[in-house]
Amino acid sequence: MNETLKMYPKQHNDVASRVIDEEAIILTPNTGILHTLNPVGTRIWELANGKRTVSDIIQRIKTEFDADEKRIGEDVVDFIESLIHKKMMLLNEKS
């Protein structure tokens, strides 16, 4: 997990997304699946612009949402890894 914290997540170029009423709607063209994210997932999606590390995103989520610090860190990493697995997000070593 420590190495992941230093990486820069970025929305995959092949996906199409819109945010409507604090919910991201994301289409993955390779599968044709439409994904809907809750407000916390949407905020992570918005922050993943390739210029912030995973650690930076965790800090922002901690500031914006009231939840256990350790759990937020684990949940953000798990969520980003899930989006990478679904080819919705990329993880880079540099911004």
Side-chain angles (χ1 to χ4, degrees), residues 22-77:
E22 296 183 9
E23 286 189 347
I25 300 168
I26 305 163
L27 174 65
T28 49
N30 60 331
T31 63
I33 297 174
L34 196 62
H35 306 269
T36 305
L37 306 180
N38 68 21
V40 177
T42 297
R43 190 64 181 127
I44 295 168
W45 178 257
E46 292 172 327
L47 292 169
N49 62 1
K51 297 178 182 175
R52 294 180 184 90
T53 63
V54 172
S55 184
D56 294 337
I57 292 171
I58 290 169
Q59 294 304 316
R60 290 285 293 269
I61 296 298
K62 279 192 242 183
T63 302
E64 295 177 20
F65 297 89
D66 184 30
D68 177 66
E69 184 173 326
K70 183 177 183 234
R71 181 162 181 183
I72 286 175
E74 292 169 356
D75 288 351
V76 168
V77 169

